[in-house]
Amino acid sequence: MSKVFYKLFVPVLLTLLCPACITEVDVGACNNTVISFENLVDGNDEFKDNIETVTYVIYDSEGKIVYQKTLSADELDDFQGLKVRLPEAGHYRVVAWGNYDSSNSQIGPTGKPGENQIVINGNDPSSFDNLYLGTLDFDLPSVDGRHEWTLDMKPQVVEIDAVIKSELPDADQVYEIKVGPLPNGITSGGEIIGDDDTYYTGSFTVGEDGKIESTVKLPPFDENTDAVIQIINKETGEVVSEIKLSDYLKENGLPGGGDDDNKKPVIDIEISVSGTDVSITFPGWKPKPVYPSI
């Protein structure tokens, strides 16, 4: 009787636990692919400080989607990575987007097998997503056993941190910052996409330390960009000051790169307001300002 029970029960149990499951599970016998996420900056893993959620897609060798999922902050607290059972041995690619937010961007195929893209919605967004990207190609040698890899997440955003220095009351209510024109998307291959026609805006607020500040997050760009930083009078819509990003970048380069490859590029600027004169400077660098024509 026990042999009959064994023959009936074991196949059912195995079917329930591992039904050739292309799924994220915690059953040890079912996971044959385990990929840990990290964001190494100066030798330290800053993943938990920089990334709250991860949306990932796994492609097979033909570029077809095998599995996709968004991992919440709670799930990443339990395990900083993904655990799945892939259906067969072979070559795979996983593309993982950190901090993807479907409320202001959309994810979709690029037309290239095994790749996708993120594009910001809207013609006048306040900010590019605070995106991180990790891409890993790997060969699963067997569906048996547990095979592990590590995927490094890199920032795909440039941050402008602006501070207004002014004796003018309520300066945070008077001005806003606008940066562009820039593209509005990026592929998982690191290719910038979209026409250079998007402007990113930011409002100023008074911080806890009393500073009047604004942060604008932008898609990646290089020293050949035509983008300018503009300070706009919100009441009149007038551009009261602007400066070319390329002038700064050609002499200083984009912060990060090299050993700091995983560090988010941050450009600090100061806006000085004296009477009706408004100027933009980069701390430690004094370019020749570009004033808009009247």
Side-chain angles (χ1 to χ4, degrees):
M1 188 72 176
S2 61
K3 288 184 179 180
V4 173
F5 175 80
Y6 180 84
K7 289 181 179 179
L8 291 174
F9 177 74
V10 171
V12 172
L13 178 63
L14 291 176
T15 300
L16 290 174
L17 288 180
C18 290
C21 48
I22 308 172
T23 183
E24 183 139 349
V25 292
D26 290 321
V27 182
C30 214
N31 295 322
N32 59 19
T33 302
V34 178
I35 299 176
S36 301
F37 303 143
E38 65 181 16
N39 170 228
L40 291 181
V41 178
D42 297 330
N44 300 312
D45 186 5
E46 297 190 2
F47 182 94
K48 291 187 181 300
D49 294 330
N50 296 326
I51 300 171
E52 295 184 359
T53 65
V54 172
T55 297
Y56 70 86
V57 184
I58 299 177
Y59 301 90
D60 64 16
S61 59
E62 296 180 354
K64 297 178 181 178
I65 295 177
V66 177
Y67 189 67
Q68 57 187 1
K69 183 179 179 180
T70 294
L71 298 170
S72 67
D74 289 341
E75 289 173 302
L76 290 171
D77 281 341
D78 291 337
F79 178 69
Q80 190 175 298
L82 64 89
K83 297 179 288 186
V84 299
R85 179 176 181 81
L86 294 175
E88 58 187 13
H91 184 77
Y92 293 91
R93 165 176 283 193
V94 58
V95 174
W97 294 100
N99 300 328
Y100 165 69
D101 183 356
S102 60
S103 66
N104 59 9
S105 65
Q106 57 189 11
I107 192 168
T110 63
K112 300 178 182 178
E115 194 170 277
N116 58 22
Q117 66 186 23
I118 283 185
V119 177
I120 296 297
N121 298 326
N123 296 321
D124 191 19
S126 61
S127 179
F128 195 72
D129 279 0
N130 191 23
L131 289 171
Y132 282 73
L133 170 64
T135 302
L136 176 69
D137 289 288
F138 64 96
D139 293 300
L140 183 67
S142 169
V143 295
D144 298 323
R146 179 185 175 103
H147 309 279
E148 301 186 27
W149 294 268
T150 300
L151 187 153
D152 194 20
M153 307 284 287
K154 301 178 183 294
Q156 303 297 311
V157 60
V158 179
E159 189 170 293
I160 301 284
D161 286 347
V163 175
I164 291 180
K165 291 187 174 181
S166 172
E167 299 298 327
L168 179 70
D170 301 325
D172 58 308
Q173 302 298 316
V174 176
Y175 302 108
E176 68 177 358
I177 184 172
K178 191 172 184 178
V179 186
L182 287 164
N184 70 336
I186 185 170
T187 73
S188 57
E191 178 184 353
I192 306 302
I193 54 176
D195 296 329
D196 289 348
D197 58 7
T198 303
Y199 285 83
Y200 299 84
T201 60
S203 299
F204 286 94
T205 58
V206 179
E208 294 181 359
D209 55 2
K211 289 183 178 180
I212 303 172
E213 53 195 8
S214 178
T215 296
V216 183
K217 294 183 173 68
L218 310 170
F221 52 83
D222 59 28
E223 64 182 24
N224 297 314
T225 180
D226 292 325
V228 296
I229 300 173
Q230 299 177 331
I231 304 302
I232 297 173
N233 185 307
K234 292 166 64 175
E235 188 173 316
T236 66
E238 177 189 3
V239 178
V240 295
S241 186
E242 69 179 30
I243 194 168
K244 292 181 180 178
L245 267 172
S246 59
D247 289 346
Y248 170 80
L249 294 174
K250 286 174 181 176
E251 290 195 23
N252 297 270
L254 194 63
D259 294 337
D260 294 328
D261 183 54
N262 283 1
K263 187 178 292 185
K264 182 194 300 179
V266 177
I267 299 175
D268 295 313
I269 67 170
E270 292 180 356
I271 298 102
S272 298
V273 180
S274 179
T276 58
D277 294 330
V278 180
S279 61
I280 305 170
T281 58
F282 299 90
W285 184 68
K286 296 182 178 180
K288 182 179 179 181
V290 178
Y291 296 102
S293 58
I294 297 176

